[in-house]
Amino acid sequence: MDDGAKEEPAQRKEPKFLSKAGWVKKAPGRLLASYKDRYVHVERTEIVVYENEDLQNCLERVNLENYDKCHELKSPFKKKHRLVLIRSPRPGNKVHDVKFQAQTAEGEGGLD
């Protein structure tokens, strides 16, 4: 039964990802080092860390595929909104856990 109409192949619609950018504090890889203000741009599978909003000095690229989880670091004494990216335990994965601190739990004043 052919009525002459051709079926269009189903087009896959990927969800549109809106990248985010804004100021957060990031802990350097060293122990006992203080958090530094950093401007970050979050893309699909990467967080790009800049020194400031002019996006001229890229300090680091964090490939999210190297991490399994993101945990909130809770402290009963400090009201700081800290998150840690936990690295994937795959063999050969040499990245370190990454710690961030936002101004609020919702990221207000930070990522837009």
Side-chain angles (χ1 to χ4, degrees):
M1 178 167 120
D2 184 12
D3 60 3
K6 293 185 179 178
E7 284 188 31
E8 293 290 322
Q11 292 186 5
R12 288 181 45 192
K13 290 187 179 180
E14 289 188 27
K16 188 173 183 179
F17 180 82
L18 300 174
S19 62
K20 300 279 187 180
W23 287 97
V24 296
K25 291 185 179 291
K26 181 184 176 297
R30 303 183 310 277
L31 291 175
L32 303 176
S34 61
Y35 282 70
K36 304 263 189 215
D37 286 322
R38 295 294 182 232
Y39 192 78
V40 299
H41 189 263
V42 181
E43 299 171 358
R44 284 184 185 271
T45 61
E46 187 175 57
I47 298 174
V48 186
V49 181
Y50 295 96
E51 193 169 39
N52 55 41
E53 289 178 87
D54 67 11
L55 309 180
Q56 297 300 310
N57 188 11
C58 176
L59 301 174
E60 182 179 3
R61 290 181 176 272
V62 178
N63 183 345
L64 296 175
E65 293 177 351
N66 290 324
Y67 298 88
D68 272 351
K69 302 172 192 157
C70 182
H71 283 289
E72 184 178 359
L73 294 175
K74 294 188 178 184
S75 168
F77 305 108
K78 297 178 182 176
K79 295 290 183 191
K80 298 195 177 185
H81 307 285
R82 290 185 174 169
L83 304 169
V84 60
L85 291 175
I86 307 294
R87 73 180 197 86
S88 171
R90 290 189 317 258
N93 187 5
K94 297 185 180 190
V95 298
H96 299 284
D97 294 349
V98 180
K99 295 177 186 174
F100 293 100
Q101 178 178 311
Q103 289 185 346
T104 69
E106 291 79 28
E108 290 175 14
L111 296 179
D112 296 327

